[in-house]
Structures are given as structure tokens and as C-alpha cells.
Amino acid sequence: MKDAFGLPQSLLVLGGTSEIALATVRRLVARRTRTVWLAGRPSPALEEAAGQLRGLGAEVRTVAFDALDPEGHEAALGKVFAEGDVDLVLLAFGILGDQAHDEREPLNAVRVAQTNYTGAVSAGLVAARSLQAQGHGSLVVLSSVAGERARRANFIYGSSKAGLDAFAQGLGDALHGTGVHVMVVRPGFVRSRMTEGMEEAPLATTPEAVAGAIELGLRRRSETVWVPGALRVVMAAVRHLPRAVFRRLPV
Ligand SMILES: NC(=O)c1ccc[n+]([C@@H]2O[C@H](COP(=O)([O-])OP(=O)(O)OC[C@H]3O[C@@H](n4cnc5c(N)ncnc54)[C@H](OP(=O)(O)O)[C@@H]3O)[C@@H](O)[C@H]2O)c1
């Protein structure tokens, strides 16, 4: 069960090698979390992540999970929930794709959409049902500012995150009053493996800063978290810019 401050004792990461997720888990293990499930595509990186968290004192298990295999989600998550309550599910998987390349190769674009959006629809619904059955818990969804307004430079990824974000908001409303809490996290540019080698956007941040914002959001039982917080105001303005102006911005 969560403690009086809303922090989890047990958690499940979907996308178990995500740098943002692992920074979050390290932070929560330093607080109260004891049981960690890392769900992801089997790889040495997944086992290494599990080993590092064990070194911090957590009991860690891995489970095979592929966002692109929605038929397998019931079984993967079922295995975890069958072992005991899960106080927090962190939906962290995602791919950025390569916009220019993916525009020329529609099947690659579909892979971005299927990973980030339909994979999350399936995993999110399966997780929500399990959390509801146990009567408590949080589902934290890593969305992105990219979904707030699709940019010319990455509208394939942006549109997948817009879908994910809308889905997670609706799911949060559906679960309101059930004891299950859904929190949508919208980071800006985060210096992680996903953005390695890319030119930094303004207000760039770190996985550790996102982890800190997630912890605070859990304590406050927030529904939406922007990282950094200033993006909330920036994006409120950007969202309302006329198309003709937005199109000319160097973003
Ligand atoms: N970095 C940023 O600037 C930024 C900003 C806003 C939002 N986000 C979002 O935050 C989340 C985490 O990103 P990150 O920065 O931590 O990136 P990351 O380190 O590259 O993590 C991405 C994760 O997604 C997993 N993944 C990809 N395809 C998968 C699939 N088919 N099935 C299961 N897992 C799959 C990867 O697993 P493998 O090890 O198997 O590849 C990895 O664990 C993503 O949803 C991302 O869109 C990132």
C-alpha cells in the first residue's frame, strides 16, 4: 500500500529500461519502494537495470512485455498482479522515430503510432482494470509537450503523444472516485538516450528532474504534471498561436 504521503511500496514499470523511469524508480526506492517489476523487451540492458536496483536494496523482477504485442499484455501484467498488489504502474515505453525518414516510410510511422499510442491504450486499460480490482493505486503516464501542439519537425511522434495524452486524461476521468489515480506527465526535452545527439530545446531538463516532479505529483495526487513547471505557461500560449505564426517558428 502507499504510505500517508502517496508514495508506493510496490511498482511496475512498463518500459523497464527507460532512463526517465529508472531515475524515478531510484528516487522512490530511496524513499519507500521495496518491490519493483521491470517490464520490457528481454535484453541485457533490462537485466542490468534490475541488477542496479537490487544493489539499492529493492526486490526486483523482470517480465517480458512488448508494446507492439497487445495480445500479450493481459498475460504480462496478469503475472505481476497475481504476485501481489501494485501501488504504482509507470507507463514509460515510447519511441521517437525519425520524422524525415518515417514520412518516406509510412510503415515506420505506423510503428511509432502503434508503440506510443495503441500499445499504451492496451497496456493502460489492462493496468487500469487490475488497479481497480485491487481498489487502489496510481497509473502514471509519460506523455510529452510534443502532444500539446504537433510541430512540423516531429508531428508523427507528436500526434502519437496527443492520442496517448487524451486517452490518459479520459481514463483518469473514468477512474475518478474508484480509488485509482491517473497522472499525466508532460516533460519537455529531456536529456536521455532518446534525445542523444539532438540539439537541445529551450527549458531542457533531466531524467532526475522528471523523477522529482513525479514524486511531488504522487504526493499531491496531481492529475497533470509539466516538467519543468514553466512549460505549463509556455504551452498555454503556444497552443493558441495562429497556425500561420506557429508554422514559422523555428521549433
Ligand atoms: N527524452 C525526452 O525528451 C522525452 C520527453 C517527453 C516524453 N518522453 C517520454 O518518456 C518516456 C521515456 O523516455 P526516455 O527518455 O526514458 O527514453 P528511453 O530511455 O529511450 O526509454 C524508452 C523506453 O521505451 C521502451 N520501448 C520502446 N519500444 C518498446 C516496445 N515495443 N515494447 C516495450 N518497450 C519499448 C524501451 O525499451 P528497449 O530497451 O526495449 O528499447 C525503453 O525502455 C517515453 O514515452 C518518451 O516518449 C521523453
Side-chain angles (χ1 to χ4, degrees), residues 17-20 41 66-67 92-94 143 157 161 188 190 192-193:
T17 61
S18 148
E19 281 191 43
I20 293 176
R41 296 180 291 192
D66 187 343
F93 57 82
S143 177
Y157 173 79
K161 287 295 189 181
V190 183
S192 76
R193 189 173 41 146

Side-chain angles (χ1 to χ4, degrees), residues 111-126:
R111 196 177 167 83
V112 174
Q114 285 180 334
T115 304
N116 298 350
Y117 179 60
T118 57
V121 167
S122 163
L125 288 173
V126 173

